[in-house]
Amino acid sequence: KLNIQIFKILKFDKVYITPGQTFFGVLKYALFILFSSTFNKELIIHVHGNHLGSEFKLLKGIKKFIFRCLISMFDKGIVLSKSLVSNLTPFLSKELIFILPNFAEEKLYAEDVEVSSKELRIIYISNLMSEKGIFFLLDSLLELKKQNIPYRARIAGDIDKKFEKDILRRLKELPNVTYLNIVKGLEKKKVLDWGNIFILPTFYKMEGQPISILEAMASKNLIITTEHAGIPDIIKNGVNGFFVAKKSSTSITKRLLHLSENKDVITNIANRNKTYFLSNFSVDKFKDRFLKILSFKI
């Protein structure tokens, strides 16, 4: 069904593709890439994660050859941040690789919401999967409960079926945690506006630059996350929030204990993050950068 659309390419000068980061994720667009190249259309690849380069290194033989050939046909490449440029350097020269950070929807930051720091209001919005660090977060929240540290938490996202029973069991042990399932639109905005601390202790291999972090900053939340993939390009430790060690509930707990005793830090960073977001990750900023990339003459 996808390949039936191939002749639409003839109407346009530029072809923009956001493939998956695996061999088959790229192969899916093979006919579009070959067809565009044959008819001298400008090909632009936009990589939304940090796994494409790793996938190339893992491939062997004919698969590696096909992978290299297809991606090398692109005229321009786009990555989310500076740390992710190496995903495209095996295929394109550096001057043809552009940085285009993600953005958050305007409705998330159109209104100015006052930050409440009377208590720790912790939010997690992402898939509930092991590599996103959900188990380490839940272990940390359990430790806060044991130490009688007052907090409330709201967790949202689709649960990985492999770990569903374990995750639901742990959530039952945490009376101050509300699981909201998948949230979208106004429901997501309400969660983000309610919170003051956003936690994503990710070590996910496909991670690039999580939009959820940008959404949280737009909604005046302090960020607790890991130095993983392109995250250090958008988050500065002690400025936008704090980095914690990967796969460490202890590291998360220590940071939350510190914030429970220094709530003014939450207010200061949360307010700063809204200003920082507007200067760098608004829809208008994205549009301006994207149009400059499209118009750049090779």
Side-chain angles (χ1 to χ4, degrees):
K1 286 183 179 179
L2 181 69
N3 287 324
I4 289 171
Q5 309 294 318
I6 198 168
F7 292 102
K8 290 183 178 180
I9 284 174
L10 296 173
K11 299 179 183 179
F12 302 98
D13 299 319
K14 302 175 190 288
V15 178
Y16 167 86
I17 299 177
T18 56
Q21 300 178 70
T22 64
F23 173 75
F24 289 105
V26 173
L27 189 66
K28 176 181 177 180
Y29 294 96
L31 289 181
F32 284 88
I33 295 168
L34 293 167
F35 196 78
S36 299
S37 182
T38 300
F39 287 93
N40 295 315
K41 306 296 182 180
E42 185 178 90
L43 269 167
I44 304 165
I45 183 172
H46 193 166
V47 182
H48 279 90
N50 190 35
H51 183 69
L52 193 80
S54 299
E55 178 77 355
F56 178 63
K57 290 176 183 177
L58 292 171
L59 293 173
K60 296 179 181 179
I62 189 64
K63 280 188 174 182
K64 194 175 189 104
F65 175 77
I66 292 171
F67 199 77
R68 181 195 289 275
C69 285
L70 288 174
I71 300 178
S72 297
M73 288 183 181
F74 284 89
D75 300 293
K76 294 176 185 173
I78 301 173
V79 294
L80 299 171
S81 64
K82 185 178 179 181
S83 296
L84 308 179
V85 168
S86 60
N87 284 278
L88 285 176
T89 49
F91 319 103
L92 299 172
S93 58
K94 283 193 175 181
E95 60 267 24
L96 298 177
I97 303 172
F98 301 85
I99 293 170
L100 179 63
N102 276 326
F103 65 95
E105 295 176 280
E106 191 170 356
K107 63 186 177 184
L108 292 175
Y109 55 87
E111 299 175 15
D112 197 47
V113 179
E114 188 175 346
V115 181
S116 173
S117 58
K118 293 179 181 177
E119 62 179 350
L120 301 185
R121 293 185 178 181
I122 299 162
I123 53 175
Y124 171 101
I125 302 177
S126 188
N127 289 328
L128 275 66
M129 54 189 289
S130 178
E131 286 183 276
K132 291 282 187 176
I134 184 61
F135 288 110
F136 298 100
L137 172 58
L138 293 176
D139 286 345
S140 176
L141 296 179
L142 183 59
E143 183 58 31
L144 291 187
K145 177 191 169 188
K146 290 177 180 177
Q147 294 191 35
N148 295 314
I149 303 299
Y151 78 91
R152 285 192 288 162
R154 295 181 181 178
I155 291 176
D158 193 22
I159 299 179
D160 188 332
K161 297 302 179 186
K162 291 184 294 184
F163 305 107
E164 187 171 18
K165 287 183 180 179
D166 193 8
I167 290 172
L168 292 176
R169 176 183 59 78
R170 291 177 187 231
L171 287 169
K172 285 180 180 178
E173 297 173 359
L174 297 165
N176 291 342
V177 178
T178 303
Y179 173 59
L180 304 169
N181 213 314
I182 298 171
V183 292
K184 296 179 181 179
L186 184 58
E187 192 178 1
K188 181 196 281 187
K189 179 175 172 16
K190 285 180 179 178
V191 177
L192 288 165
D193 287 345
W194 172 85
N196 53 30
I197 299 173
F198 176 85
I199 302 183
L200 185 69
T202 180
F203 49 97
Y204 182 45
K205 68 178 181 179
M206 297 282 189
E207 201 75 83
Q209 182 189 93
I211 291 175
S212 58
I213 288 180
L214 301 182
E215 292 174 336
M217 286 198 291
S219 308
K220 291 188 176 181
N221 282 275
L222 177 150
I223 309 300
I224 294 178
T225 187
T226 52
E227 292 185 87
H228 182 63
I231 295 174
D233 293 327
I234 59 170
I235 295 293
K236 288 186 172 61
N237 192 52
V239 176
N240 309 107
F242 300 96
F243 289 125
V244 292
K246 295 179 186 179
K247 304 180 183 181
S248 172
S249 60
T250 302
S251 184
I252 299 170
T253 303
K254 284 181 179 179
R255 182 50 60 189
L256 290 173
L257 289 173
H258 171 258
L259 291 173
S260 71
E261 296 172 358
N262 298 273
K263 293 187 177 67
D264 59 312
V265 174
I266 299 174
T267 307
N268 293 337
I269 291 180
N271 284 316
R272 183 189 303 144
N273 278 349
K274 175 75 176 279
T275 304
Y276 170 65
F277 169 87
L278 291 173
S279 299
N280 294 279
F281 308 110
S282 68
V283 172
D284 288 338
K285 291 288 183 184
F286 179 87
K287 283 160 60 176
D288 289 345
R289 290 166 175 151
F290 191 31
L291 289 172
K292 285 178 183 178
I293 293 169
L294 291 177
S295 61
F296 179 83
K297 300 295 183 184
I298 300 171

